[in-house]
Amino acid sequence: MSTYLIRRIFLIIPTMFLVSVLVFFSIRFIPGDVITMMARESFLTHQDRASIEHSLGLDVPIYQQYGRWVGKIILHGDLGHSLWGEVPVFNSLSQALPVTFELSLLSMIIGIIISLPIGVYSAIRQDSVGDYIARSFAILCIALPTFWLGTMVMVLPALWWGWSPPLIYVPFTKDPANNLVEFLVPAIILGMSLSGVTMRMTRTMVLEVLRQDFIRTAWAKGLKERVVILRHALKNALIPVITIIGLQVPFLIGGAVIVEQIFGLPGVGRLIIDATFQRDYPVVSGVVLIIAVFVLIVNLLVDITYGLFDPRVHYR
Amino acid sequence: MLKRKIVWLVVSVLIILSMALASCGKAEPATTATSGTTAEPATAEPQYGGTLTLLDLWHSTSADPESWDPSVYNWLNSEPLKYHMETILVGDIDNKGPRGDNTYIFDNVNGVPASVVTGHLCDTWEVVDSNTIRLHVRQGVKFQSNPKVMAQRELNADDIAFSLNKMITGPTIASRFTWIDSITAPDKSTVLVKLNKFNADWQSYLGYYYYAQIYPQEMITAGAADWHNAVGTGPFIVSDYIRGSMRTYKKNPDYWGTTTINGKKYQLPFIDELRFPVMPDVTARLAALRTGKVDINASVTWQDKASLAKTNADLTVFKAPYAGGHMINMRVDTKPFTDINVRRALNLAIDKQAIISAMLGGEGVLLNLPFTSDWPEYTPLEEYPHEVQEIFGYNPDKAKQLLADAGYPQGFETQLIISDTFMTSGLPSLVVDSWSKIGVKCELKTYDYSTFETVIFGKQQTQMIWDRTGAPTALGALFKFCITGASVGGAFLSDPIIDQAYKDASAETDPLKALALARKGNEQYVKDVPQIWLPAEYTYEFCWPWVKNWYGEISAGSFDMGVVTSRIWIDPDLKQKMGY
């Protein structure tokens, strides 16, 4: 297992190199000039422009800029500074990342809490009324766009009952209870959007496993339904479901961007949007790089989790 | 099992059909808000204490300051800094606004007319001659104490000279101040500004400009980008900041400012705490106002005002025309726009009155650019010659005739650059369709707003470009739109009459004479028809009735809400009585 882990960690390096090249260069190819945006209505002489470019490190060829950026990260762990205020990217990220992480984690937990029981029930009561309702609910969760659902949750209760979800972010460290209350509604919305696919996959896999011979044997032995499902069927059925959940992490972060906007959560999504509009290259590059690392680590953890569920899986 | 599947299928189809039928119902006609009260001048005794929660004036994703450092010259940075920092001049909202003689309603975020400017950190000044301005520092003003930066101390002329010198040498904005030779402090209470060329707009640029906040050098030394080091002379002190979430200010107990209500003088500010939640989403902003989570939302659009007035009739509402408007710049140095008949034709083809009645909620201003309609120096449309008034009417037949006279009997093809943010208004589609009826085929080239800014400030448009903006002052409007080489002059107009008017106005040391000269330049610009001016909508400021002593003012300078909020108080009994 340790050899496998070391090998996987080493494989991250070339992946990260490719990601770094992609994120660094892609933002710089978007039309729009940050210095023109900074100057706005001012007339800049060539000298002024050159001076600003120099102070921002934009006066060297782009490959040199890349080299400097990567060098700073590797040697000093420095993601650079915002072009618009010299705020270190790390500072902005350290404030935004916990918010997105909390939202993603809660959404994933809620998504699993919704999807697994319903998926299992739907499978063991196949073609019943409950199954049809569950499957319709799963399709609804997949079909309803997050931004629409979030907007409806914001607008309709305010109109009908004079109520809106909490809209002002309170850090967890300041007030854990209010923080969790604030995250509840957006996490449910995001969790629901993820749960649809997981629900259907769970149902399919449980149905497939229930048709296996070893399950027939378990029934023949007179085991209770709860034991057959939870101890024998579910463990085998969950392996592909874990893969699905792991693959949803990048979509979770993407979905979090919209939910963060609607519910006023100062997460990574908002940070990236603002930075992209401002053409704040270091912030966008740094944040996307960190997210990429996060996704790679999550995928590694997902792979390791297989071994826990399936003893046949050995990592060498 | 098959039967069950059929039943579910039928049920699903019936549900979908009923939803489709419901959505085909007759649309309710848009109604103009008739409910909502307007505030009367304060008669009640002001109350100290409480928290005022209000949404940022500029409802954008950049409601956060880019930096707390005032020498980061991003105009969006300006507003968050003007609660704890102040400028040397401001608009006189006590005497010239709705609570005074109502000369001006202080609804322009960018600036105030010269006729309403008054002293603030500098209480008096003299224009000694066309090369010298002397400013006198108000006595008794103190910088807030900040344990990380400095002990409380009195403001002096050195601080003003330091701050203003930093501004005029700022790398991205220095070109706006080439008319200034030096700013010095010959003594602790005098600031001397030496000019190489007089600029009649100096009150705006030095007095209350976006970047003209006054701060101590100690703050720069300590690290101004960190909000913990924020220091100013303002009515509030920065007490908390969570990026992307909330700015909080607490009352400055040693603030120098006062206001007079019903003949009695009161120390400012009234409220203990000011909170600005960051809410980029419009629906969230409206929900927050509806549910009493915020006390003021000063940026409600015409699309939402009727709904708000209907569901929350208790809310107080103020309205004012948007400080600027939509305009389509035609490159007058490029065919076919070199011919004024073509420019007039494109104007005549658009039914602007219909836009007001059908698209702006029934309220709008036909001509609101380059000078906005609430400026004293504005020229009403009725005072222009007939051929100018005519282009604000609708006459597609005459438009076709004008095109034919210009040599385009079959029309022509052209391109209009526009930002995606302007597309949501629905106006671009209407304009393109209107032009198609007179034979002008227009391609809309859409950019995201950041790229659009690069195009318009870089002057890269080749045909037409759509913009939505305003100007801080009359001279600022001429500089921004009208003169040869204007800073945002999308029309590339070069008219010597306008240039001379601007030159004469800038050099005039009497502010009222300067405005009269500037007015001439503006009138000439309108007669030249380099733009298509679409009607300007009204913006609506809503607040709960427990918010007192506010009359819809949104700026006493350039993004200066600090002066305004310091005069607001909350009636906690009324708030509780209303169930909030």
Side-chain angles (χ1 to χ4, degrees), chain A residues 171-225:
Chain A
F172 185 83
T173 46
K174 264 195 179 165
D175 190 344
N178 275 326
N179 171 272
L180 288 172
V181 166
E182 190 193 355
F183 274 82
L184 189 62
V185 172
I188 289 173
I189 289 171
L190 208 46
M192 272 180 62
S193 74
L194 301 172
S195 65
V197 171
T198 313
M199 228 183 287
R200 289 180 64 84
M201 181 57 96
T202 305
R203 179 184 182 276
T204 304
M205 291 316 302
V206 169
L207 277 174
E208 195 176 305
V209 166
L210 284 176
R211 285 179 175 86
Q212 301 292 316
D213 289 343
F214 70 93
I215 295 293
R216 197 181 302 132
T217 307
W219 287 122
K221 279 160 66 178
L223 293 175
K224 289 184 184 167
E225 184 182 40

Side-chain angles (χ1 to χ4, degrees), chain B residues 51-64:
Chain B
T51 298
L52 179 69
T53 305
L54 64 167
L55 292 171
D56 203 278
L57 290 176
W58 201 254
H59 48 287
S60 72
T61 56
S62 299
D64 268 319

Side-chain angles (χ1 to χ4, degrees), chain A residues 40 42 127 174 270 277, chain B residues 4 175-176 240 244 450 453:
Chain A
R40 289 184 62 87
S42 300
D127 294 330
K174 264 195 179 165
R270 288 256 303 270
F277 283 142
Chain B
R4 269 191 200 154
S175 63
R176 304 183 197 190
D240 197 10
S450 307
E453 281 203 325

Side-chain angles (χ1 to χ4, degrees), chain A residues 31-33 39-43 84 95 127 132 159 162 164 168-169 174 261-262 266 270 274 277-279, chain B residues 1 4-5 61 72 75 172 175-176 240 243-246 291 293 448 450-451 453-454 480 485 487-488:
Chain A
D33 170 42
R40 289 184 62 87
E41 299 160 22
S42 300
F43 297 108
W84 285 84
Q95 288 173 14
D127 294 330
Y132 279 106
L159 281 175
S164 69
I168 297 169
Y169 172 70
K174 264 195 179 165
Q261 280 282 105
I262 296 172
R270 288 256 303 270
D274 286 354
F277 283 142
Q278 296 273 0
R279 300 297 187 267
Chain B
M1 189 157 108
R4 269 191 200 154
K5 282 189 178 168
T61 56
V72 170
W75 62 285
T172 53
S175 63
R176 304 183 197 190
D240 197 10
R243 187 191 164 90
S245 175
M246 177 84 81
T291 55
K293 288 193 166 72
D448 71 280
S450 307
T451 309
E453 281 203 325
T454 304
K480 189 170 177 177
S487 62
V488 190

